[in-house]
Amino acid sequence: MQAASPRTTQKKPLSVRFKKSIPYYLLLLPGMLLLFLFNYMPIGGIVIAFKDFSPFKGIWGSPWVGLKHFIYFLTNESFWRVMRNTIIINFYQLIFGFPFPIFFALMLNEIASNRFKKAIQTISYLPHFLSWVVVASLVTNVLSPSEGIVNGVLERVFGIEPIYFLTKTEYFRGIIVVSAIWKNFGMNSVYYIASLAGIDTELYEAAAIDGAGRLRQTWHITLPGLRNIIVVLLVLQMGSMITIGFEQIFLLYNSMVYDVGDVISTYTYRLGIVNTQFSLTSAIGVTQSVVNFILVYSANRISRALAGWSLW
Amino acid sequence: MKKTRGEIVFQYFDVLFMILILAIILFPVLNVISLSVSSRDAILNKEVSIYPIGFNLAAYEDVMSNTQFKRSLLNNVFLTVIGTFFAVIVTLMTSFALTKEFLAKKIISYYFVITMYFSGGLIPTYIIVANVLKLRNTYAVLILPSLVSVFYIIVMRSQIETMPSSVFEASYIDGANEFQTVFLIVLPMIAPTIAAISMFFALSFWNMWYNVMIYIDHDKHWTLQYFLRVVVFEKFLSQYSSTSLTVEFEEMIPEQNFRNAAVVMVALPIVCIYPFVQKYFVKGIISGAVKG
């Protein structure tokens, strides 16, 4: 949001300007109040990361303990396990999840029939509209050892005993990455499809006259046309390397795959809400926010340098 | 333009690829529908894939007659309607005011934008909402925190900025105050944007479960998604961990058919509506990308 343009018109006395502003303040009041309650007060609540918070003493009554909680979790083996899982799963999503929507958009772009194109596009959006609860239900269905079709096929065709996929450490990250791709690739391809539509068709015609085949046209015209949006989305994704949405992991994981599947958000939830380690988990949250901010900020700088486009 | 042989082969390959994609998207969906209407024997024999075997609707009757399902459905409708209504009003009033000039506008703009980049995080938010505001086990905790979205305020504000200023002037000359201008003049003129933003809010209210999980203790306030989570996952989880079920649920540990019928019922309204609203989402995402 841009800031107000400087007032070049005549300056009236403050009281007059205030009086004229009142209707706007009233319009803004509900939104500001809600943000105060649910955003600014929690930001203030971060102080409990530096205290030994107890619900009975309240936020102000709890004693200060400085960096005790930060030192505790930074020297704790289990924190580094979830940190490692978070980064590894993000890394997989970057390698497999990021290119797929680009590939899909390019392939879709080459489909000749407009109606077929539209139909596929619409269906590809479907998973985006389903909640993670529904999608996770579909995943457990398909992979279920007693009723799932994957085990059905493995058993019938290959004679393999049912596999409890969701409890196997070797499959868990794969399941997370694949189901995230399944849910999101359609909507994520929207950016690329829009950019493809913006490429000047005359470029293709000129290239065709120069004797370039479709493949060369894709390489020399289409991909450079997508370069900016690819760079922007790539740096944005790298900016969230230590964040993984809570819902997907939480709904699919179980104690048997904590070693490979427990991430910062689920760890914070269990330790904080379930085990009421409020101060410790606030300290983890603060650290995560700071690292996130640094990552987004640097990603933004890189984006500006490479694509000439930045978030702010 | 004449097509080369390679291009024709590629066209066939491309169509095949797209059919494969369609199959991958639709398979789990058809699978859950088929499971929900198949006989128990066929399911246990792992025969059911994408068409029903031993068709019956018993599971749907069970779901529809389930008291908790009905209560959660009512909650969902209530939260979605009320939440979306107030969210759109707050978004409209805020974005309209931010297109105007007034005292301290710059500071107030920053007040809104900062929340896009900084948040208290899970636990401080929980402490404030639960311990300070004492909103546990209320409908308010499921509605109020989700009413303000600075992102949609920015989208709507840029829409209002495209309106000619003569519209506002005419409205003021006719003696309308700012509130009347927002709701009687601006609202009808940006109806498509209002519709689009309503859809975004409605979807997020309809799909809400996380806040139910952390702020709600009793089943009176459950949403459909949370109902589904308990029905589908508690049984699965309880096999491997010490997740304890409430006594009430222990007695009715649902069968596969029931669970799948519940999944279908919860997802059905969205599957039916989304083809008609997806263009708004696409527009919103693209304008969001352009605006940042």
Side-chain angles (χ1 to χ4, degrees), chain B residues 3-67:
Chain B
K3 282 185 176 167
T4 64
R5 234 179 111 96
E7 282 170 23
I8 293 167
V9 172
F10 175 78
Q11 276 290 326
Y12 280 109
F13 171 74
D14 200 3
V15 170
L16 270 178
F17 173 78
M18 287 302 159
I19 290 172
L20 182 71
I21 292 275
L22 287 191
I24 291 170
I25 294 173
L26 292 178
F27 180 83
V29 178
L30 295 175
N31 182 236
V32 72
I33 296 172
S34 308
L35 285 168
S36 71
V37 294
S38 291
S39 72
R40 190 136 185 82
D41 292 344
I43 295 173
L44 287 176
N45 284 333
K46 295 176 204 158
E47 285 166 5
V48 181
S49 56
I50 56 168
Y51 51 89
I53 296 171
F55 182 86
N56 70 85
L57 291 172
Y60 286 89
E61 284 163 26
D62 289 349
V63 173
M64 303 261 241
S65 59
N66 184 295
T67 347

Side-chain angles (χ1 to χ4, degrees), chain A residues 25 40 107 131 141 155-156, chain B residues 45-46 103 111 225 260:
Chain A
Y25 295 152
Y40 282 98
M107 292 296 269
S131 69
N141 263 345
E155 205 178 329
R156 252 159 248 256
Chain B
N45 284 333
K46 295 176 204 158
L103 193 62
Y111 179 88
Q225 308 292 335
N260 288 313

